[in-house]
Amino acid sequence: MTESLGNLLAARRAQAGLTQQDLATRAGVSVRTVRDIERGGVRRPHARTVRRLASAVGLDFAECVAALESGPVRHTHGADSPLRIEVLGSLTVHRHATTVDVGSAMLRRLLGLLALRENQVVPQAEIIDFLWGENVPATYSNLVHTYVSRLRKLLGGHQGAVLDRVGSGYRLVLAPGQSDMAEFTERVQAATAHRAAGLTAQAADTYAEALSMWRGDVLADLGPRVQLHPVAVAASRQRLAAVLHYADLAIELRQHQAALDRLRDAAHADPMHEGIGARTMLALAGSGQRVAALRLFREFRAHLVEALGIEPGSELQDAYLRILRHEAVAVPVRASDARLVVTPAQLPPDISTFTGRERQIGELNAHLEATLDRKAAATISVISGTAGVGKSTLAVRWAHQVRNRYPHGQLYFNMHGYGDSAPRTVGDALTSFLQALGVSPRVVPFDLDARIAMFRSLLAERRVLLLLDNVVGSDQVTPLIPANCHCAVVVTSRNDLSGLKVRTDALVIRLPELSHEESVAMLTTLIRDPVGGVSRETVDELARLCAHLPLAMRIAAANISRGTHRTVEEYTTSLREGNRLAQLTVGGDGRTAVQAAFDLSYNALAPQASRLFRLLGLVPGVDCTPPAAAALIGSDTAGAARILNCLTAAHMVEQRSRDRYEFHDLLRLFAVQRCLEEDEPSERDEARRRLFEHQLRTAHHAVTRAYPGMLRLCALPDAVTKVEAGGIDWLEDERDNLAAMVLHAAEHGPKAIAWQLTDVLRGYLWRSYDVPTWLSMARAGLRAARQEGDRLAVAAMHYSLGCAHRSRGKNMAVARLHLTMAQRMFQRLGSAPGSAAALDCLGMVHEETGQTTRALTAIEESIVLCRREQLCFGLAKALCNLGFLTMKVGRLEESTAHLIEALSMARQLGDPHIEATALHNLGQTSAQAGQADDALGKYERALAIRRDINDIEGEGQTLEHLGTLLHHIGDPTAGRHYWHQAATTLEKIGHPKAREIHRKLLDSTPAP
């Protein structure tokens, strides 16, 4: 067993004062390997791994081998694993030393997919697409269950291999050594970490090990369709990325022939990849084959010009020029991966009313000076203390005072360790810091250890200040400490982080309440008494009553400013006689002082204000409006607005804008606690129901007014009627709150709200191109509908998910699956509107995947259904789409007829969205028919309507087509003007089309 070896290794590592990361770096292995061996998780590790680890800690190799009591060290990957699945080539399954016959092609496909996605949940929709593509059998669900059962029998009884069902998907869990894909990924991550740490030779060796595991194309025996599936393509891209990284390192190490061998293999799969070509040229030149390198460039260029009509990109051009100039061969750097020279300045703003803390600032300065000359890691200072004592305020003040010492930047990250928000992780912080330092998001490593190594490498020669706010434990700090004595880290936490002093020279300041003099100074600054000033005796007593806690004094000052007491003396007397003083004492509980401070303000509220304050804790989302507050308490809007103003004056809520109010995160927790203590469950449920139905009612009115033809598929509560409030601006402001409401309702109820609100908002989310929010809401709505057994709602949520995926344009197979399921369910339920809508959207999915015949069939079926059931809005939309499709296939007269009919119906129905779509499509038809003037007129009318109704996506599309038409008729200057407007417009909503238009602008730029 490796437990003996693990204990031996761990003991020697501890004696040497090494972390697992340190040992992994020395030995050239991954941290996971070290961790698994020390924990006894690897039965028989590789001989080379054991030798490297032994050498790194000064152990004798024979001694390590003797510690392996269960047998000799293994010498081939996975040879002693009871089960091993290999996908890096033909699918192969080994049981001990024997190859296992998996069985049918479908079983092999399913096992290949699950193995590629090892330890991840693979949704049923992805399994169906991977197995059958477009030809999904009616019995697909039963077949999937059958295949899974057979695979479980195949895998059964083998330690570590488990095939679990998770929701509607499946997850294949494999132990270390049972998957070549997992081992390849692990080695690539280790190589990335070595490279980031500057260990070039070790990185090259580890990349070579990883690449040697490939026996051919991924799942080579399962056919080209499987290899073109996104999950297989992703694996192939990982291989290509590893080849390119390895080639960079090999060229740097002057191992040119080794680089050529790998690059030539990669070129067979992608012969026109410019990165492969550039590196091959450099490797040829470096090995003395300069003529061959230049010839390769000429051949590459000729093929690009002949086949694609383009010149070589910057990588190839740069390599060519270097070889011509006889310059030292260097690794090509892609422009997209280049780091910007960035000086981050992320510190939060300082406050003008900061008071006191001179002693603590002096300690921080002294510690900084004392550690400047130490040849060690960064200077670390920790400020800990109770909630509300001013930890973050002090840290920000000091950071601003010393920021000029750190010319390369100041980084800030809030770990949210004690708030209502989800806690952040070390990985989140590293990703934020790397991007702030100029690292492209595309090259930020997925592996946490690799991110740590890259972060420390970037700061190795820089002077940077880090502020880590609201940290929970030392483990959130240690990975973020730069290994550079010229950097500094300041940390705030409510917990005692003295553990940092064990391995660092950290200064830990336990921040007390303000001194009495500091408290008096703060109160004097904060209080503006309108009646003849405040006596020193009163301020002294008020400071003592507030226990010298900064947050308590700020809230007390806010209460005074409300004017509920005539003088500060009267307010101070009320505190003393109300016997609330003991609650301000700072105890062992970190929340005690804050809660006591909040109690002071809360107890001074009028009953109506305290009730609204409590019920605001029930609101999902970030803020609340007066109408929503009125719904919570069952009052009119004007009355709720007056109460909100009282709460704002008391600093119990904050007014973010003219009609939006929000909590400080700690105040939200306090409100929830008070609500649970003081309000009956029935009252809480009724308040939440009133709020949710108010939001649903307002959203329904806003969407109906903005998108009159948008189909409603789910019945709404009887109470839902039109209200004279809400519009597009309201929807924009409430978007996050409505999404939070859907998620809350799906989890806690009333569950119908989840699918009703999602269905109501479908048109808005589509037009605003907020696909991530749309997907999140629709998934929650689907989950709730299934739990409640509402089949119509299930069908509506499948339709919503299909529309969302189609709008996103990334996974049309998933969109097609959802829409097909929706259409079948609507048909069985007898919902003609739902069936027609699903067929219409399904037709456009077919069109976007190149299946024009199927697209025409689906939309024509939708039109027949709409005409039969007199579904006017649905018919007008479907006619727009049919006109577009017939235009695409060259049936221009038919296209024009369909679109003119759609345009006439849209105007009769008063739907500007359909009218603009019909005009836009007519413009395309006219342009294709060579009628440029008519096309321009149609486009300009469509553009005017889309701007008037704030259809940003539609506006961008029409602008792009206008630009293209003007280019074709010989006015490129005007065309570029419209393209520029289109890109700017689409960027507002994050539409991927904006990037394509920018590329067109670059390609069409006239030569200087």
Side-chain angles (χ1 to χ4, degrees):
M1 296 178 62
T2 39
E3 289 184 353
S4 298
L5 173 61
N7 292 337
L8 186 65
L9 192 64
R12 184 59 65 92
R13 178 175 61 77
Q15 291 175 5
L18 300 175
T19 65
Q20 289 182 338
Q21 174 67 64
D22 295 336
L23 176 55
T25 302
R26 284 192 180 188
V29 299
S30 70
V31 175
R32 176 180 173 183
T33 298
V34 175
R35 182 172 59 247
D36 288 346
I37 290 176
E38 291 192 353
R39 293 177 177 175
V42 181
R43 190 165 64 88
R44 301 169 79 179
H46 198 288
R48 180 169 49 193
T49 299
V50 176
R51 191 181 299 277
R52 286 181 173 180
L53 291 168
S55 174
V57 295
L59 284 172
D60 181 69
F61 178 65
E63 183 182 2
C64 292
V65 173
L68 298 173
E69 300 172 351
S70 62
V73 181
R74 67 180 172 94
H75 292 272
T76 58
H77 280 297
D80 294 310
S81 178
L83 180 78
R84 182 172 175 82
I85 302 173
E86 298 180 344
V87 296
L88 306 183
S90 298
L91 177 66
T92 307
V93 178
H94 297 290
R95 185 179 295 138
H96 298 291
T98 305
T99 301
V100 178
D101 181 11
V102 176
S104 70
M106 286 301 183
L107 276 183
R108 297 176 67 79
R109 285 185 184 180
L110 179 56
L111 181 58
L113 172 63
L114 294 171
L116 280 172
R117 297 280 303 276
E118 174 208 0
N119 296 329
Q120 301 176 46
V121 177
V122 183
Q124 189 181 60
E126 184 175 343
I127 291 173
I128 293 167
D129 183 61
F130 194 80
L131 294 182
W132 292 290
E134 297 177 5
N135 303 312
V136 181
T139 58
Y140 67 87
S141 182
N142 291 334
L143 288 173
V144 171
H145 289 310
T146 300
Y147 298 151
V148 169
S149 297
R150 292 179 184 175
L151 286 182
R152 283 177 173 152
K153 290 179 182 178
L154 178 73
L155 302 174
H158 298 291
Q159 184 179 6
V162 178
L163 181 51
D164 290 329
R165 176 159 188 159
V166 182
S168 62
Y170 295 90
R171 176 176 59 202
L172 178 62
V173 180
L174 297 176
Q178 292 186 331
S179 165
D180 61 346
M181 185 67 203
E183 290 186 359
F184 168 74
T185 302
E186 180 182 335
R187 280 163 173 72
V188 168
Q189 290 171 349
T192 303
H194 293 327
R195 188 181 189 187
L199 304 174
T200 305
Q202 290 186 18
D205 289 345
T206 310
Y207 275 124
E209 287 181 17
L211 291 168
S212 68
M213 300 177 67
W214 285 78
R215 298 169 287 110
D217 293 335
V218 62
L219 298 175
D221 58 325
L222 298 186
R225 192 179 68 79
V226 168
Q227 291 173 25
L228 292 174
H229 192 275
V231 70
V233 170
S236 299
R237 286 176 177 170
Q238 284 184 264
R239 180 189 189 184
L240 175 58
V243 169
L244 297 178
H245 290 316
Y246 170 75
D248 291 342
L249 296 169
I251 293 171
E252 184 179 345
L253 295 168
R254 310 199 69 78
Q255 298 171 1
H256 301 103
Q257 189 56 49
L260 283 171
D261 292 341
R262 294 292 182 190
L263 290 166
R264 283 166 175 162
D265 287 343
H268 288 303
D270 194 350
M272 296 311 298
H273 191 287
E274 295 196 20
I276 296 174
R279 288 161 176 81
T280 303
M281 289 167 57
L282 292 173
L284 285 169
S287 61
Q289 303 177 67
R290 182 168 174 269
V291 173
L294 295 174
R295 183 171 60 248
L296 176 62
F297 175 79
R298 289 192 295 271
E299 293 172 353
F300 219 111
R301 179 184 180 278
H303 187 82
L304 288 172
V305 171
E306 179 180 349
L308 303 175
I310 61 174
E311 290 290 334
S314 59
E315 284 186 275
L316 279 169
Q317 296 278 9
D318 182 65
Y320 176 66
L321 291 174
R322 288 179 181 276
I323 295 166
L324 280 179
R325 296 166 183 165
H326 295 273
E327 293 180 357
V329 177
V331 178
V333 178
R334 286 176 288 182
S336 60
D337 288 349
R339 295 191 183 111
L340 301 173
V341 179
V342 176
T343 303
Q346 297 184 335
L347 294 178
D350 198 0
I351 61 172
S352 60
T353 55
F354 182 90
T355 304
R357 304 302 192 192
E358 286 83 5
R359 180 174 65 82
Q360 289 80 15
I361 290 175
E363 290 179 25
L364 290 165
N365 288 333
H367 180 62
L368 182 62
E369 295 294 338
T371 55
L372 283 179
D373 297 327
R374 297 181 187 175
K375 304 301 182 183
T379 301
I380 303 167
S381 303
V382 179
I383 304 172
S384 66
T386 188
V389 80
K391 303 178 295 297
S392 299
T393 305
L394 171 59
V396 169
R397 165 55 61 102
W398 180 75
H400 277 283
Q401 289 182 353
V402 300
R403 62 181 301 176
N404 290 336
R405 293 174 177 246
Y406 301 96
H408 299 130
Q410 305 87 42
L411 297 169
Y412 172 85
F413 196 82
N414 189 341
M415 286 292 189
H416 290 294
Y418 309 98
D420 201 23
S421 303
R424 309 300 294 276
T425 66
V426 171
D428 295 332
L430 285 165
T431 299
S432 173
F433 288 162
L434 288 171
Q435 293 183 19
L437 290 166
V439 177
S440 166
R442 192 175 65 81
V443 297
V444 172
F446 177 79
D447 179 67
L448 179 62
D449 294 328
R451 264 180 281 177
I452 295 171
M454 179 180 283
F455 175 65
R456 288 177 175 163
S457 297
L458 286 174
L459 296 191
E461 303 296 329
R462 300 191 187 189
R463 293 179 178 269
V464 175
L465 174 66
L466 283 73
L467 200 168
L468 305 177
D469 208 3
N470 289 311
V471 167
V472 174
S474 301
D475 58 342
Q476 290 184 316
V477 178
T478 305
L480 301 174
I481 299 175
N484 172 6
C485 61
H486 301 297
C487 292
V489 182
V490 59
V491 181
T492 73
S493 178
R494 295 188 201 173
N495 293 338
D496 183 1
L497 301 188
S498 297
L500 280 174
K501 300 181 73 171
V502 175
R503 283 187 288 184
T504 70
D505 296 324
L507 167 70
V508 177
I509 295 177
R510 293 172 178 83
L511 196 63
E513 310 90 280
L514 288 173
S515 69
H516 185 72
E517 291 303 318
E518 289 174 332
S519 299
V520 169
M522 172 179 276
L523 287 169
T524 303
T525 301
L526 294 173
I527 296 173
R528 295 290 182 266
D529 187 76
V531 185
V534 185
S535 69
R536 173 59 189 258
E537 292 77 14
T538 300
V539 176
D540 286 342
E541 183 177 10
L542 183 56
R544 288 192 295 270
L545 292 173
C546 290
H548 305 107
L549 192 70
L551 184 55
M553 289 185 286
R554 290 184 181 277
I555 294 175
N559 283 333
I560 292 169
S561 68
R562 290 176 57 218
T564 55
H565 296 82
R566 290 179 300 170
T567 64
V568 177
E569 287 82 0
E570 183 178 308
Y571 176 74
T572 305
T573 300
S574 72
L575 290 180
R576 181 177 62 251
E577 296 179 352
N579 198 25
R580 301 297 183 187
L581 306 182
Q583 298 180 54
L584 289 174
T585 304
V586 178
D589 182 0
R591 295 180 62 240
T592 302
V594 174
Q595 183 170 330
F598 292 161
D599 278 335
L600 290 172
S601 289
Y602 177 81
N603 292 332
L605 296 174
Q608 285 184 326
S610 62
R611 177 171 178 257
L612 176 56
F613 174 77
R614 295 193 307 273
L615 293 180
L616 284 171
L618 301 176
V619 179
V622 296
D623 55 25
C624 185
T625 62
L632 266 178
I633 59 177
S635 77
D636 60 274
T637 300
R642 285 193 296 270
I643 300 173
L644 282 169
N645 287 333
C646 291
L647 291 173
T648 303
H651 283 216
M652 298 298 280
V653 299
E654 297 176 7
Q655 188 170 4
R656 185 164 60 86
S657 61
R658 186 177 61 84
D659 60 351
R660 294 202 164 266
Y661 299 81
E662 64 183 8
F663 279 112
H664 183 281
D665 57 348
L666 295 175
L667 277 169
R668 178 182 291 275
L669 292 174
F670 178 73
V672 171
Q673 176 184 319
R674 281 288 188 169
C675 188
L676 292 173
E677 292 173 354
E678 298 184 32
D679 297 300
E680 293 295 329
S682 59
E683 167 61 12
R684 297 198 297 268
D685 292 342
E686 184 62 17
R688 192 180 287 113
R689 182 195 61 76
R690 288 193 301 264
L691 170 67
F692 284 11
E693 290 194 2
H694 162 78
Q695 295 292 82
L696 179 61
R697 181 164 57 249
T698 309
H700 178 259
H701 171 71
V703 172
T704 300
R705 189 168 63 178
Y707 314 109
M710 194 55 58
L711 179 64
R712 293 276 73 77
L713 294 168
C714 297
L716 301 181
D718 293 338
V720 174
T721 57
K722 287 187 177 181
V723 292
E724 296 305 319
I728 291 295
D729 291 341
W730 182 87
L731 290 170
E732 290 288 339
D733 292 337
E734 284 289 333
R735 181 186 334 205
D736 291 341
N737 293 337
L738 295 171
M741 193 170 293
V742 167
L743 299 180
H744 187 281
E747 187 70 22
H748 305 289
K751 292 185 180 295
I753 290 290
W755 66 74
Q756 291 166 346
L757 193 50
T758 299
D759 188 55
V760 162
L761 292 172
R762 185 179 66 252
Y764 163 71
L765 295 169
W766 171 36
R767 292 296 183 184
S768 63
Y769 200 72
D770 188 0
V771 181
T773 300
W774 188 0
L775 287 171
S776 175
M777 293 172 67
R779 287 166 182 154
L782 178 61
R783 186 167 62 251
R786 283 173 170 166
Q787 291 170 355
E788 293 297 297
D790 191 317
R791 292 183 296 167
L792 182 61
V794 169
M797 293 301 98
H798 275 302
Y799 172 69
S800 197
L801 283 166
C803 293
H805 280 291
R806 181 227 162 180
S807 181
R808 192 179 195 182
K810 289 186 177 180
N811 198 334
M812 289 300 175
V814 175
R816 182 172 60 248
L817 180 61
H818 280 295
L819 290 167
T820 301
M821 294 174 69
Q823 195 274 328
R824 291 173 181 171
M825 293 184 72
F826 283 132
Q827 192 173 39
R828 287 196 296 268
L829 293 167
S831 173
S835 187
L839 282 167
D840 185 40
C841 191
L842 188 60
M844 296 311 294
V845 169
H846 289 320
E847 188 279 329
E848 289 170 21
T849 54
Q851 303 172 72
T852 306
T853 301
R854 295 182 69 178
L856 286 166
T857 300
I859 293 178
E860 285 167 354
E861 288 179 21
S862 176
I863 288 174
V864 169
L865 193 55
C866 288
R867 291 191 191 278
R868 188 182 73 202
E869 300 294 332
Q870 297 183 350
L871 304 173
C872 298
F873 284 103
L875 177 59
K877 291 179 184 177
L879 285 168
C880 282
N881 289 334
L882 185 59
F884 171 79
L885 287 176
T886 49
M887 178 271 297
K888 291 269 288 190
V889 298
R891 290 150 49 182
L892 301 184
E893 290 184 5
E894 183 181 346
S895 170
T896 301
H898 292 315
L899 293 170
I900 289 174
E901 183 181 1
L903 180 62
S904 175
M905 292 187 68
R907 287 170 174 168
Q908 291 175 14
L909 295 168
D911 191 315
H913 290 279
I914 301 177
E915 181 182 1
T917 301
L919 285 167
H920 176 93
N921 290 355
L922 279 167
Q924 288 184 270
T925 304
S926 297
Q928 190 163 328
Q931 301 167 1
D933 290 340
D934 185 70
L936 282 171
K938 297 290 195 309
Y939 281 145
E940 287 169 354
R941 286 155 63 192
L943 180 63
I945 294 172
R946 285 175 161 172
R947 282 175 168 167
D948 186 56
I949 62 178
N950 197 34
D951 179 4
I952 297 175
E953 182 183 17
E955 178 186 347
Q957 292 173 347
T958 302
L959 285 167
E960 182 195 11
H961 280 80
L962 271 167
T964 301
L965 178 60
L966 288 165
H967 263 274
H968 288 164
I969 63 176
D971 191 352
T973 301
R976 286 176 52 80
H977 171 73
Y978 279 109
W979 278 350
H980 179 75
Q981 286 189 57
T984 302
T985 299
L986 291 172
E987 281 175 343
K988 296 177 184 177
I989 56 174
H991 202 293
K993 189 73 174 176
R995 292 193 295 272
E996 297 179 22
I997 299 172
H998 276 302
R999 283 196 292 270
K1000 287 202 294 188
L1001 282 166
L1002 288 173
D1003 293 342
S1004 65
T1005 302

